[in-house]
Amino acid sequence: MTSALSLIAQKNCRLLGLLLNFIEICARYQKFILFLGFSNLIHIIKTMVITDKQAIFKILSNKEKFAIYVGAGASVDSGVITAKTICEDIRDLLISHGVTTIDDYEKYLEWNDHSSRYSTCIEKAYPSEASRVDYFTELLAGIKPSFFHYGTSLLISHKILKNIAITTNFDKLLELAFYHIGNIECQAIRMPEESRFISNSDKDKCYLLKIHGDYDTHNISNTSSETTIMPEDIYKQVENALKNAGLVVLGTAGYEKSIHTMFDKLAVEDNIVKNKILEYGLLWGIYMGADKPHNLTEEESNRLLLEKLNTDTVNKAIVSKIKETYRRHSGFNFFPIWGAGEFIFDLIQKVGGKNNALVGTANLYLDHEMRLRYVLSTEGLVSDAIIKHIESLRFQKKRYESGRKVAAKVPEIAFTIINTKANYEIQISYGDITSRRFLNDPENTKLNNIVISPDDTFLSAGGGVAYGLLEKGSKTKILHELYKFSPVEQNDVVVTSGFDLPVKYIFHVAALEIDKNADYNISTNTLDHAMQNVMKKFQGLDGHVLYIPLIGSGLGKLSPVESFNSIFNALKTCTRSTEKRVFHIVISEEKRLGREYLKDFFETLSKPEYSYQEIA
């Protein structure tokens, strides 16, 4: 009797435990329950959402079966502004011209209707097709492909993804990426009559279906009347492309009416079962933010993704459609991404491991932050340390860009110091050392002129001056070159060409050591050694002009005085040359290192070897 009661009690405890677990799950996802419906909650939690790793596995298990859908969000890394920013700019423009007011714009622009806001804003600001073509032509001028576009091109040309890409974008970034890499041709299908050029048998060509047209062909679709329903002939192009295939969706929230209508039609039962449309499923990437959490578990990934799905990150109609379709076809899933480019690079890395030729080629096209993440992770830094370093660089970048907007100026000479014995001159200036006008001095460009880019042992090229030189000197080319050397030892000097800068060489000086915790190490002693290496390289290359910022006084935390003293002491070691050498020490602002300190410093120099003059 006692054992029977004990057994019943144990069963009741187990039932109670299961009930408590169920209540905890319900409490955690109570908001999502209201939206998706209570009866399907447990099923959806376990199945409709998958991890990014599971999405990659599905794609690699079915090579050349998944086409890619490219939304506007995938072009953000190239500098293309988002639909949200376009709407905000138009709203501010219309308010400034009195077309609408602060009180009335929400109604006038259908601001609170996510499916109508963008098309309404475009239509109100640019009512004619010609004005819309002009607007987008100007908006996209000079935009260059990001890693996402290069990586996608590589995955298609290496026959990992199907040779069909579908996009609503008007830019030419994907076409340019194919052209630059040169593995296979990319043919844009911009209007229905061009669909006759698509050949299912030609596997060595990518077809890019521009379902909202192109500004070149003057058939862009972005007003409400143009995007409510997709023309049937365009829809048929998409349907044919997805027969016996799957689709990976990146960079879109699916709010355009024509787009969620298109997915509604594609995912009907007859299409999937009888016509084999989306036979391999639909994988919809949801942007989770820039930085992926360290050691993210599957359970935590799913929880974060479900929370995102309960916001306006993706159209609720899309969520409902995928949920409904999943009941019959388990290949319809949402998965998390931390940037479209990051996902594409993760996919590339899983294709064949570290030594795969595809990975090596992809590395050459990595965006700035992506390159850093890859280099830092391969050197053993954990995710938290990588994020810490990148956030520091983001801060420096933001400070540099805001400084340029407010006070950037061509450096002006404040002092000249002449050493008659060694035949060199030192000029002290205040201003922006990255100024092309400053570096492009006709007297110096004819000579062997060199600029210093202060850097770290991973050649991050991300702090202040280094970032400015990178932006102005052809970012992609410089990053390609730096990738070949990184990482280096502290105090090393890596020499590259000046690329698009008006200098012959750039000296990338690794004055800052980054340790495994992403802490920065530098001292006056290490900077002394770095500057000694600079002088050896400078004299070895028979340099004539050297532009020098205050190294180590940004992320490195040396004071401007400490940096200046180390630099000046190194210049004093310059040996005599028959040709006069000129050293430009450039200080960003006078408040960092004022004239009074410099005058006192120069008074201590030995005479008559040195003479100095203050320039008003």
Side-chain angles (χ1 to χ4, degrees), residues 60 147 150-151 153-155 157-158 160 181 183 342-367 370-371 373-375 377-378 480 483:
L60 294 182
F147 176 78
Y150 288 116
S153 169
L154 288 168
L155 286 168
S157 63
H158 282 74
I160 306 301
I181 292 176
N183 286 345
E342 290 284 352
F343 175 74
I344 290 295
F345 188 50
D346 287 345
L347 178 54
I348 286 172
Q349 290 183 91
K350 291 295 182 184
V351 169
K354 285 185 178 180
N355 298 320
N356 188 280
L358 176 59
V359 177
T361 304
N363 284 334
L364 298 176
Y365 295 95
L366 288 176
D367 295 345
M370 291 182 67
R371 185 185 75 87
R373 289 179 189 277
Y374 179 71
V375 171
S377 63
T378 54
H480 280 191
Y483 172 73

Side-chain angles (χ1 to χ4, degrees), residues 255-433:
Y255 277 109
E256 302 101 319
K257 288 182 180 178
S258 60
I259 299 307
H260 64 74
T261 302
M262 177 187 79
F263 282 110
D264 278 347
K265 292 175 69 176
L266 288 171
V268 297
E269 185 68 9
D270 277 358
N271 256 345
I272 298 171
V273 176
K274 295 180 181 179
N275 300 326
K276 306 297 182 182
I277 308 299
L278 291 175
E279 182 182 15
Y280 286 83
L282 175 69
L283 301 175
W284 195 297
I286 302 296
Y287 181 66
M288 306 296 289
D291 301 311
K292 184 177 182 178
H294 183 47
N295 289 333
L296 188 66
T297 64
E298 180 180 349
E299 179 184 2
E300 185 67 7
S301 174
N302 290 347
R303 183 185 69 79
L304 292 172
L305 182 51
L306 286 169
E307 288 179 357
K308 276 286 184 183
L309 291 175
N310 196 30
T311 67
D312 60 4
T313 302
V314 65
N315 192 337
K316 296 295 191 291
I318 295 290
V319 178
S320 296
K321 186 63 183 178
I322 289 184
K323 179 185 70 142
E324 175 193 333
T325 309
Y326 181 84
R327 292 170 179 162
R328 301 181 300 277
H329 306 283
S330 60
F332 284 65
N333 308 105
F334 291 106
F335 68 96
I337 62 169
W338 287 264
E342 290 284 352
F343 175 74
I344 290 295
F345 188 50
D346 287 345
L347 178 54
I348 286 172
Q349 290 183 91
K350 291 295 182 184
V351 169
K354 285 185 178 180
N355 298 320
N356 188 280
L358 176 59
V359 177
T361 304
N363 284 334
L364 298 176
Y365 295 95
L366 288 176
D367 295 345
H368 196 184
E369 282 195 9
M370 291 182 67
R371 185 185 75 87
L372 282 177
R373 289 179 189 277
Y374 179 71
V375 171
L376 295 172
S377 63
T378 54
E379 290 302 311
L381 272 70
V382 298
S383 178
D384 290 346
I386 293 171
I387 292 171
K388 176 182 174 182
H389 177 52
I390 288 176
E391 285 181 345
S392 295
L393 295 181
R394 286 174 187 162
F395 174 77
Q396 289 291 322
K397 173 183 173 182
K398 187 176 180 180
R399 189 169 74 171
Y400 170 79
E401 289 178 337
S402 61
R404 281 180 60 200
K405 291 176 183 176
V406 175
K409 65 175 185 177
V410 177
E412 297 176 354
I413 299 174
F415 295 93
T416 59
I417 304 95
I418 295 176
N419 184 310
T420 53
K421 184 177 179 181
N423 193 25
Y424 67 77
E425 179 179 341
I426 300 173
Q427 296 182 358
I428 313 296
S429 303
Y430 291 107
D432 179 9
I433 194 173

Side-chain angles (χ1 to χ4, degrees), residues 83-311:
K84 178 176 181 288
T85 304
I86 288 174
C87 290
E88 289 169 350
D89 289 347
I90 287 174
R91 174 198 62 192
D92 296 344
L93 177 68
L94 295 179
I95 290 174
S96 71
H97 283 269
V99 177
T100 186
T101 66
I102 291 288
D103 297 325
D104 297 334
Y105 80 85
E106 289 186 356
K107 181 180 179 181
Y108 183 72
L109 297 174
E110 299 184 56
W111 197 260
N112 296 320
D113 184 347
H114 291 293
S115 63
S116 301
R117 180 199 296 172
Y118 172 74
S119 58
T120 303
C121 284
I122 293 292
E123 196 165 5
K124 295 290 188 183
Y126 306 101
S128 70
E129 183 180 58
S131 64
R132 293 194 294 276
V133 169
D134 289 345
Y135 171 72
F136 282 102
T137 301
E138 182 179 349
L139 186 72
L140 298 171
I143 297 296
K144 298 178 181 179
S146 68
F147 176 78
F148 168 80
H149 304 97
Y150 288 116
T152 299
S153 169
L154 288 168
L155 286 168
I156 291 172
S157 63
H158 282 74
K159 303 187 186 306
I160 306 301
L161 292 176
K162 185 177 172 67
N163 65 331
I164 292 282
I166 302 167
T167 186
T168 52
N169 298 347
F170 310 129
D171 61 54
K172 303 192 183 305
L173 298 173
L174 200 53
E175 296 105 302
L176 283 172
F178 275 96
Y179 175 76
H180 291 161
I181 292 176
N183 286 345
I184 64 172
E185 181 185 349
C186 176
Q187 180 158 354
I189 307 299
R190 303 161 298 178
M191 53 180 63
E193 50 266 40
E194 292 180 336
S195 61
R196 70 181 188 275
F197 299 120
I198 298 177
S199 170
N200 293 328
S201 61
D202 191 351
K203 300 296 184 182
D204 292 322
K205 179 185 283 188
C206 173
Y207 297 98
L208 176 61
L209 305 185
K210 291 195 159 186
I211 57 178
H212 277 181
D214 198 330
Y215 59 80
D216 274 358
T217 45
H218 287 237
N219 65 329
I220 59 175
S221 301
N222 41 31
T223 65
S224 56
S225 60
E226 294 165 340
T227 59
T228 299
I229 299 175
M230 182 178 294
E232 188 62 24
D233 47 8
I234 294 177
Y235 171 75
K236 283 297 181 183
Q237 293 178 25
V238 175
E239 195 175 66
N240 290 336
L242 298 179
K243 195 168 187 176
N244 305 117
L247 185 66
V248 184
V249 178
L250 297 173
T252 183
Y255 277 109
E256 302 101 319
K257 288 182 180 178
S258 60
I259 299 307
H260 64 74
T261 302
M262 177 187 79
F263 282 110
D264 278 347
K265 292 175 69 176
L266 288 171
V268 297
E269 185 68 9
D270 277 358
N271 256 345
I272 298 171
V273 176
K274 295 180 181 179
N275 300 326
K276 306 297 182 182
I277 308 299
L278 291 175
E279 182 182 15
Y280 286 83
L282 175 69
L283 301 175
W284 195 297
I286 302 296
Y287 181 66
M288 306 296 289
D291 301 311
K292 184 177 182 178
H294 183 47
N295 289 333
L296 188 66
T297 64
E298 180 180 349
E299 179 184 2
E300 185 67 7
S301 174
N302 290 347
R303 183 185 69 79
L304 292 172
L305 182 51
L306 286 169
E307 288 179 357
K308 276 286 184 183
L309 291 175
N310 196 30
T311 67

